[in-house]
């Protein structure tokens, strides 16, 4: 017997049954997106993968999803506080390009990585710089309600005016020493945060700055999400997601802004994906958070360069629950790669009959797993039980194909990588040859087979697809 979807809400610190707020069943989902001053590392993509699974599971349960994701292209300062240089401006100077060019370049790179990882793009991907008017209007409303004050460097939110401040993170605001989280300057309290920052004096003007009721400047980091979420999803919507590092500052401040303006906590559920960390080489050492500031900054492109099918990384992320930190090592990724290839090749060997329905009992087990707060390790175990079990071959295939709506492994693709993971350029050549052969262009198909052979691969034609082997 199946069960309803249950999610862990960090605001209440509890597992709660999920029901959409809207009577038509549409789910409003807001997820914190990238700060586009550089590529994202594979730890960032672990969070985006968890959010992709959440969206797929919501659809599995019959809900339509309106997914909004922000792109931070202004206001996110080095150190994540209220002082220091904007990360975009710093990245632009390092690259010798404008901040606008950097933002556009890394936004496109982000979307390209999403496609490689089979992470579905948000319905609305909104840039902070396209919503300056909404952010100014939000600050004006907070000012009218008495929640702001002016300092020498900007307009700040006065957390002392909001007794519930810090509820999401269970912050001991009285115990926070000045400057412990952020630099004080002439702020009233350590927890107060910038809504609008003033630009430097003339002659040192920034690339990204706008006129406002308080003078020329730029928005703080937190105001963008409150303003854009409200614009596209309303004052109170279903689910807000992000990384675990957003809990104590960014999401805490989002909630404060929205509660001060409209009296809601912005979202009914607050879900957070936990870090991908570096496994220590020495078992006595501690794990390290993955970061862009370290020499071992791991990009998606590096996985591709090393010959990994990115489905293997997706599989690896599913071996841990999203609410637990996951240790990354190349050995762990190799194990996930091997497991994925076995799953993919096992699926390819199954009998295909379009009229065969999936197994009801296995479907129930899989749904129970994904509906138990997105328990992907258990969902993978159910998939393996199906593949290794005694069900008829066509029933296994139909069942696993249905699971793949959530897993996102593209198991029904004609490509069957039997011997080892195929690099994307080789896969593209093989797919092109398959299409040429299917339309009867045998001369082109032969030419592409020759290219594959020159690259060190042989291609065997099979019913509905092909098999690739290294020469």
């Amino acid at each position: 017997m199946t069960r309803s979807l249950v999610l862990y809400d960090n605001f209440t610190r509890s597992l709660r049954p999920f029901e959409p707020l809207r009577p038509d069943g549409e789910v409003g989902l807001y997820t914190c997106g990238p700060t586009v001053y550089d590529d994202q590392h594979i730890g960032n993509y672990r969070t985006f993968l968890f959010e992709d699974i959440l969206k797929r599971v919501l659809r599995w349960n019959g809900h339509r999803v309106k997914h909004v994701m922000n792109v931070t292209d202004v206001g996110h300062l080095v150190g994540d506080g209220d002082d220091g240089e904007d990360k975009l401006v710093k990245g632009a100077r390092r690259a010798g390009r404008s901040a606008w060019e950097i933002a556009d370049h890394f936004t496109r790179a982000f979307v390209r990585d999403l496609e490689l990882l089979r992470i579905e793009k948000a319905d609305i991907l909104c840039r902070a710089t396209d919503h300056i008017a909404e952010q100014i209007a939000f600050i004006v409303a907070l000012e009218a309600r008495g929640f702001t004050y002016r300092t020498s460097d900007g307009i700040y939110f006065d957390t002392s005016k909001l007794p519930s401040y810090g509820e999401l993170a269970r912050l001991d605001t009285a115990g926070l020493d000045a400057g412990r989280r952020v630099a004080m300057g002439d702020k009233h309290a350590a927890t107060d945060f910038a809504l609008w920052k003033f630009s430097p004096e003339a002659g040192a003007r920034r690339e990204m700055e706008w006129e406002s009721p308080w003078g020329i400047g730029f928005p703080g980091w937190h105001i963008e999400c409150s303003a854009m979420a409200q614009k596209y999803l309303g004052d109170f919507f279903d689910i807000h997601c992000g990384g675990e590092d957003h809990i104590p500052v960014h999401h805490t401040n989002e909630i404060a802004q929205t509660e001060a303006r409209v009296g809601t906590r912005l979202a009914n559920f607050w879900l957070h994906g936990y870090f991908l960390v570096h496994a220590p080489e020495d078992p006595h050492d501690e794990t390290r958070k993955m970061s862009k500031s370290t020499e071992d900054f791991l990009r998606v492109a590096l996985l591709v360069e090393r010959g990994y099918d990115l489905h293997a990384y997706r599989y690896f992320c599913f071996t841990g629950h999203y609410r637990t930190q996951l240790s990354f090592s190349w050995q762990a990724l190799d194990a996930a790669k091997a497991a994925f290839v076995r799953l993919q090749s096992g699926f390819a060997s199954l009998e295909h009959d379009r009229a065969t329905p999936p197994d009801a009992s296995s479907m129930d087990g899989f749904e129970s797993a994904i509906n138990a707060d997105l328990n992907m390790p258990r969902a993978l175990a159910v998939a393996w039980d199906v593949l290794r079990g005694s069900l008829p071959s066509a029933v296994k295939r139909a069942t696993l194909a249905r699971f793949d709506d959530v897993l996102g492994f593209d198991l029904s693709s004609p490509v069957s990588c039997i011997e080892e993971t195929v690099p994307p350029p080789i896969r593209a050549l093989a797919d092109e040859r398959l299409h040429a052969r299917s339309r009867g262009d045998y001369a082109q198909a032969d030419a592409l087979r020759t290219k594959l052979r020159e690259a060190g691969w042989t291609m065997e034609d099979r019913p509905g697809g092909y098999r690739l082997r290294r020469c």
Side-chain angles (χ1 to χ4, degrees):
M1 175 155 179
T2 59
R3 61 192 243 181
S4 61
L5 175 60
V6 174
L7 299 172
Y8 187 84
D9 173 28
N10 259 319
F11 192 89
T12 61
R13 296 290 197 274
S14 65
L15 287 164
R16 298 170 50 206
F18 175 79
E19 291 292 340
L21 295 171
R22 288 171 51 121
D24 64 2
E26 182 179 82
V27 176
L29 171 65
Y30 187 94
T31 62
C32 282
T35 301
V36 286
Y37 67 97
D38 205 333
D39 286 312
Q40 306 303 297
H41 58 66
I42 62 172
N44 299 135
Y45 285 108
R46 187 196 179 199
T47 296
F48 299 134
L49 276 167
F50 129 66
E51 293 159 350
D52 184 61
I53 287 298
L54 171 62
K55 186 160 61 173
R56 290 168 181 262
V57 170
L58 287 167
R59 286 205 301 261
W60 175 286
N61 282 274
H63 304 305
R64 291 180 296 109
V65 181
K66 183 178 181 180
H67 179 196
V68 179
M69 176 184 281
N70 70 298
V71 173
T72 299
D73 55 358
V74 68
H76 194 169
L77 306 186
V78 174
D80 299 342
D82 295 319
D83 63 330
E85 190 173 19
D86 189 304
K87 292 184 177 184
L88 264 294
V89 174
K90 182 178 180 180
R93 186 176 63 252
R94 182 179 63 235
R97 303 170 71 179
S98 75
W100 297 98
E101 289 173 324
I102 287 293
D104 182 65
H105 172 80
F106 287 114
T107 299
R108 286 186 284 107
F110 170 68
V111 172
R112 187 165 57 248
D113 283 350
L114 292 182
E115 293 172 351
L116 289 172
L117 288 162
R118 287 184 55 79
I119 298 173
E120 296 181 7
K121 185 181 173 183
D123 301 299
I124 299 173
L125 193 65
C126 45
R127 299 181 188 227
T129 53
D130 290 336
H131 298 80
I132 299 300
E134 288 83 357
Q135 294 172 74
I136 289 175
F138 206 113
I139 300 168
V140 167
L142 292 175
E143 186 177 52
R145 295 177 62 85
F147 282 95
T148 71
Y149 63 89
R150 185 184 188 105
T151 73
S152 60
D153 73 335
I155 305 299
Y156 280 77
F157 186 92
D158 189 345
T159 57
S160 71
K161 299 289 183 65
L162 191 69
S164 62
Y165 179 80
E167 186 173 354
L168 173 69
R170 305 299 193 265
L171 290 179
D172 175 17
T173 55
L176 282 174
D177 297 326
R180 180 172 151 194
R181 268 179 46 195
V182 291
M184 280 295 289
D186 49 359
K187 294 194 311 180
H188 295 175
T191 52
D192 295 352
F193 56 91
L195 300 168
W196 187 263
K197 294 281 285 184
F198 301 140
S199 291
E201 296 296 327
R205 295 280 291 272
R206 294 163 36 92
E207 287 184 72
M208 293 181 165
E209 57 185 16
W210 295 265
E211 295 282 355
S212 80
W214 315 281
I216 295 174
F218 57 96
W221 174 30
H222 315 298
I223 195 68
E224 66 176 275
C225 287
S226 289
M228 293 191 293
Q230 184 186 54
K231 174 176 180 174
Y232 293 109
L233 297 174
D235 293 346
F236 190 57
F237 55 89
D238 293 284
I239 305 173
H240 195 311
C241 296
E244 64 170 300
D245 52 331
H246 288 154
I247 298 172
V249 182
H250 184 49
H251 286 175
T252 287
N253 293 346
E254 278 189 65
I255 291 170
Q257 293 163 157
T258 301
E259 187 172 351
R261 183 178 183 183
V262 297
T264 75
R265 63 175 185 265
L266 191 60
N268 191 24
F269 281 78
W270 288 82
L271 275 63
H272 297 91
Y274 278 60
F275 289 147
L276 183 69
V277 296
H278 290 282
E281 296 181 7
D282 186 326
H284 299 292
D285 293 340
E286 294 183 355
T287 58
R288 293 179 294 110
K289 174 189 171 184
M290 204 159 283
S291 169
K292 298 186 185 75
S293 61
T294 58
E295 292 182 1
D296 48 3
F297 171 15
L298 299 180
R299 295 170 170 84
V300 168
L302 178 60
L303 303 188
V304 175
E305 288 169 10
R306 290 198 174 199
Y308 288 95
D309 183 326
L310 292 178
H311 290 103
Y313 179 69
R314 190 178 179 97
Y315 187 104
F316 166 71
C317 288
F318 296 166
T319 62
H321 192 274
Y322 79 92
R323 282 196 290 117
T324 61
Q325 293 189 352
L326 181 64
S327 292
F328 175 84
S329 68
W330 293 108
Q331 293 81 3
L333 185 58
D334 285 339
K337 168 185 170 180
F340 171 71
V341 169
R342 289 196 302 272
L343 179 65
Q344 187 187 44
S345 58
F347 179 87
S349 69
L350 297 171
E351 179 184 345
H352 188 197
D353 180 0
R354 293 181 182 276
T356 301
D359 177 64
S361 177
S362 299
M363 289 282 289
D364 183 71
F366 185 80
E367 182 169 307
S368 293
I370 60 176
N371 278 359
D373 195 31
L374 317 181
N375 192 328
M376 295 310 294
R378 198 201 309 172
L380 282 178
V382 174
W384 280 109
D385 287 344
V386 169
L387 185 61
R388 294 166 173 162
S390 58
L391 293 170
S393 179
V395 175
K396 289 183 180 182
R397 185 181 179 102
T399 305
L400 290 171
R402 183 72 176 91
F403 292 177
D404 204 34
D405 290 343
V406 171
L407 297 173
F409 288 149
D410 197 23
L411 292 175
S412 296
S413 167
V415 176
S416 178
C417 173
I418 301 296
E419 295 302 315
E420 60 181 289
T421 302
V422 180
I426 299 300
R427 185 196 298 276
L429 279 176
D431 283 344
E432 188 179 352
R433 183 186 177 278
L434 179 68
H435 295 319
R437 191 169 178 271
S438 66
R439 65 176 181 265
D441 188 349
Y442 297 109
Q444 175 71 358
D446 288 343
L448 290 167
R449 185 196 286 275
T450 300
K451 282 188 177 182
L452 285 165
R453 189 177 298 115
E454 290 171 350
W457 293 81
T458 59
M459 180 173 176
E460 301 172 11
D461 296 317
R462 296 194 162 201
Y466 55 79
R467 182 180 187 177
L468 286 167
R469 292 178 182 272
R470 275 199 184 278
C471 300

